mmCIF file of all heavy atoms in Angstrom:
data_model
loop_
_atom_site.group_PDB
_atom_site.id
_atom_site.type_symbol
_atom_site.label_atom_id
_atom_site.label_comp_id
_atom_site.label_asym_id
_atom_site.label_seq_id
_atom_site.Cartn_x
_atom_site.Cartn_y
_atom_site.Cartn_z
ATOM 1 N N ALA B 236 87.278 -81.443 -17.487
ATOM 2 C CA ALA B 236 86.242 -82.100 -16.619
ATOM 3 C C ALA B 236 86.099 -81.296 -15.397
ATOM 4 O O ALA B 236 85.049 -81.323 -14.712
ATOM 5 C CB ALA B 236 86.736 -83.538 -16.334
ATOM 6 N N ALA B 237 87.140 -80.568 -14.885
ATOM 7 C CA ALA B 237 87.141 -79.855 -13.630
ATOM 8 C C ALA B 237 87.584 -78.499 -13.887
ATOM 9 O O ALA B 237 88.720 -78.182 -13.642
ATOM 10 C CB ALA B 237 87.984 -80.594 -12.593
ATOM 11 N N PRO B 238 86.755 -77.628 -14.362
ATOM 12 C CA PRO B 238 87.183 -76.268 -14.870
ATOM 13 C C PRO B 238 87.724 -75.359 -13.792
ATOM 14 O O PRO B 238 88.408 -74.413 -14.107
ATOM 15 C CB PRO B 238 85.956 -75.695 -15.456
ATOM 16 C CG PRO B 238 84.749 -76.598 -15.006
ATOM 17 C CD PRO B 238 85.293 -77.868 -14.722
ATOM 18 N N HIS B 239 87.454 -75.776 -12.596
ATOM 19 C CA HIS B 239 88.048 -74.916 -11.423
ATOM 20 C C HIS B 239 89.235 -75.509 -10.819
ATOM 21 O O HIS B 239 89.557 -75.166 -9.699
ATOM 22 C CB HIS B 239 86.930 -74.597 -10.480
ATOM 23 C CG HIS B 239 85.760 -73.840 -10.988
ATOM 24 N ND1 HIS B 239 84.636 -74.484 -11.471
ATOM 25 C CD2 HIS B 239 85.621 -72.494 -11.250
ATOM 26 C CE1 HIS B 239 83.815 -73.542 -11.973
ATOM 27 N NE2 HIS B 239 84.332 -72.384 -11.795
ATOM 28 N N VAL B 240 89.850 -76.422 -11.406
ATOM 29 C CA VAL B 240 91.127 -77.082 -10.937
ATOM 30 C C VAL B 240 92.018 -75.914 -10.452
ATOM 31 O O VAL B 240 92.255 -74.917 -11.162
ATOM 32 C CB VAL B 240 91.705 -78.015 -11.941
ATOM 33 C CG1 VAL B 240 92.035 -77.312 -13.277
ATOM 34 C CG2 VAL B 240 92.998 -78.684 -11.455
ATOM 35 N N ARG B 241 92.668 -76.147 -9.281
ATOM 36 C CA ARG B 241 93.506 -75.014 -8.751
ATOM 37 C C ARG B 241 94.920 -75.018 -9.269
ATOM 38 O O ARG B 241 95.503 -74.031 -9.610
ATOM 39 C CB ARG B 241 93.606 -75.186 -7.231
ATOM 40 C CG ARG B 241 92.376 -75.488 -6.449
ATOM 41 C CD ARG B 241 91.367 -74.383 -6.576
ATOM 42 N NE ARG B 241 90.314 -74.559 -5.523
ATOM 43 C CZ ARG B 241 89.146 -73.855 -5.587
ATOM 44 N NH1 ARG B 241 88.961 -72.832 -6.422
ATOM 45 N NH2 ARG B 241 88.227 -74.117 -4.646
ATOM 46 N N CYS B 242 95.507 -76.265 -9.486
ATOM 47 C CA CYS B 242 96.867 -76.335 -9.913
ATOM 48 C C CYS B 242 97.260 -77.805 -10.157
ATOM 49 O O CYS B 242 96.527 -78.705 -9.722
ATOM 50 C CB CYS B 242 97.890 -75.718 -8.879
ATOM 51 S SG CYS B 242 97.678 -76.485 -7.248
ATOM 52 N N PHE B 243 98.311 -77.899 -10.909
ATOM 53 C CA PHE B 243 98.932 -79.233 -11.189
ATOM 54 C C PHE B 243 100.397 -79.097 -10.831
ATOM 55 O O PHE B 243 101.012 -78.112 -10.912
ATOM 56 C CB PHE B 243 98.844 -79.599 -12.598
ATOM 57 C CG PHE B 243 97.500 -79.782 -13.240
ATOM 58 C CD1 PHE B 243 96.796 -78.746 -13.857
ATOM 59 C CD2 PHE B 243 96.796 -80.985 -13.117
ATOM 60 C CE1 PHE B 243 95.530 -78.899 -14.384
ATOM 61 C CE2 PHE B 243 95.594 -81.172 -13.603
ATOM 62 C CZ PHE B 243 94.919 -80.140 -14.281
ATOM 63 N N ARG B 244 101.039 -80.283 -10.429
ATOM 64 C CA ARG B 244 102.490 -80.366 -10.413
ATOM 65 C C ARG B 244 102.841 -81.775 -10.641
ATOM 66 O O ARG B 244 102.203 -82.692 -10.034
ATOM 67 C CB ARG B 244 103.029 -79.812 -9.069
ATOM 68 C CG ARG B 244 104.499 -79.661 -9.067
ATOM 69 C CD ARG B 244 105.062 -78.626 -8.167
ATOM 70 N NE ARG B 244 104.535 -77.311 -8.414
ATOM 71 C CZ ARG B 244 104.778 -76.224 -7.704
ATOM 72 N NH1 ARG B 244 105.588 -76.268 -6.673
ATOM 73 N NH2 ARG B 244 104.234 -75.076 -8.042
ATOM 74 N N ASP B 245 103.960 -82.054 -11.292
ATOM 75 C CA ASP B 245 104.436 -83.426 -11.462
ATOM 76 C C ASP B 245 105.502 -83.652 -10.382
ATOM 77 O O ASP B 245 106.482 -82.932 -10.252
ATOM 78 C CB ASP B 245 104.971 -83.676 -12.879
ATOM 79 C CG ASP B 245 106.068 -82.771 -13.346
ATOM 80 O OD1 ASP B 245 106.084 -81.554 -12.885
ATOM 81 O OD2 ASP B 245 106.989 -83.171 -14.090
ATOM 82 N N PRO B 246 105.320 -84.635 -9.530
ATOM 83 C CA PRO B 246 106.125 -84.854 -8.388
ATOM 84 C C PRO B 246 107.320 -85.602 -8.698
ATOM 85 O O PRO B 246 107.430 -86.831 -8.584
ATOM 86 C CB PRO B 246 105.232 -85.658 -7.435
ATOM 87 C CG PRO B 246 104.214 -86.368 -8.272
ATOM 88 C CD PRO B 246 104.028 -85.592 -9.583
ATOM 89 N N THR B 247 108.400 -84.859 -9.210
ATOM 90 C CA THR B 247 109.641 -85.520 -9.690
ATOM 91 C C THR B 247 110.533 -85.611 -8.510
ATOM 92 O O THR B 247 110.230 -86.309 -7.511
ATOM 93 C CB THR B 247 110.201 -84.753 -10.892
ATOM 94 O OG1 THR B 247 110.331 -83.364 -10.546
ATOM 95 C CG2 THR B 247 109.296 -84.881 -12.074
ATOM 96 N N ARG B 248 111.752 -85.003 -8.530
ATOM 97 C CA ARG B 248 112.710 -85.056 -7.450
ATOM 98 C C ARG B 248 111.987 -84.627 -6.097
ATOM 99 O O ARG B 248 111.276 -83.702 -6.030
ATOM 100 C CB ARG B 248 113.823 -84.085 -7.644
ATOM 101 C CG ARG B 248 114.834 -84.647 -8.616
ATOM 102 C CD ARG B 248 115.905 -83.601 -8.841
ATOM 103 N NE ARG B 248 115.416 -82.386 -9.613
ATOM 104 C CZ ARG B 248 116.083 -81.260 -9.792
ATOM 105 N NH1 ARG B 248 117.264 -81.133 -9.280
ATOM 106 N NH2 ARG B 248 115.584 -80.308 -10.526
ATOM 107 N N GLY B 249 112.212 -85.422 -5.109
ATOM 108 C CA GLY B 249 111.527 -85.118 -3.754
ATOM 109 C C GLY B 249 110.202 -85.710 -3.629
ATOM 110 O O GLY B 249 109.603 -85.697 -2.578
ATOM 111 N N GLY B 250 109.657 -86.272 -4.772
ATOM 112 C CA GLY B 250 108.372 -86.934 -4.697
ATOM 113 C C GLY B 250 107.202 -86.100 -4.394
ATOM 114 O O GLY B 250 107.292 -84.856 -4.431
ATOM 115 N N ILE B 251 106.034 -86.826 -4.019
ATOM 116 C CA ILE B 251 104.935 -85.998 -3.651
ATOM 117 C C ILE B 251 105.088 -85.294 -2.333
ATOM 118 O O ILE B 251 104.376 -84.308 -2.092
ATOM 119 C CB ILE B 251 103.589 -86.779 -3.655
ATOM 120 C CG1 ILE B 251 103.494 -87.859 -2.656
ATOM 121 C CG2 ILE B 251 103.306 -87.432 -5.060
ATOM 122 C CD1 ILE B 251 102.067 -88.484 -2.562
ATOM 123 N N ALA B 252 106.081 -85.704 -1.560
ATOM 124 C CA ALA B 252 106.293 -84.939 -0.314
ATOM 125 C C ALA B 252 106.735 -83.461 -0.622
ATOM 126 O O ALA B 252 106.220 -82.496 -0.052
ATOM 127 C CB ALA B 252 107.461 -85.588 0.511
ATOM 128 N N SER B 253 107.651 -83.297 -1.590
ATOM 129 C CA SER B 253 107.974 -81.987 -1.968
ATOM 130 C C SER B 253 106.875 -81.263 -2.615
ATOM 131 O O SER B 253 106.595 -79.992 -2.290
ATOM 132 C CB SER B 253 109.163 -81.972 -3.009
ATOM 133 O OG SER B 253 110.401 -82.051 -2.304
ATOM 134 N N THR B 254 106.100 -81.819 -3.526
ATOM 135 C CA THR B 254 105.040 -81.157 -4.202
ATOM 136 C C THR B 254 103.959 -80.620 -3.166
ATOM 137 O O THR B 254 103.525 -79.538 -3.284
ATOM 138 C CB THR B 254 104.363 -82.171 -5.225
ATOM 139 O OG1 THR B 254 105.262 -82.466 -6.225
ATOM 140 C CG2 THR B 254 103.085 -81.584 -5.773
ATOM 141 N N LEU B 255 103.604 -81.492 -2.278
ATOM 142 C CA LEU B 255 102.558 -81.190 -1.357
ATOM 143 C C LEU B 255 103.049 -80.075 -0.368
ATOM 144 O O LEU B 255 102.300 -79.215 -0.047
ATOM 145 C CB LEU B 255 102.013 -82.413 -0.547
ATOM 146 C CG LEU B 255 101.435 -83.503 -1.523
ATOM 147 C CD1 LEU B 255 100.925 -84.652 -0.639
ATOM 148 C CD2 LEU B 255 100.244 -82.920 -2.358
#
Side-chain angles (χ1 to χ4, degrees):
Chain B
H239 299 94
V240 56
R241 314 296 192 189
C242 54
F243 296 96
R244 189 154 301 178
D245 57 329
T247 55
R248 284 176 290 172
I251 67 170
S253 276
T254 294
L255 299 181

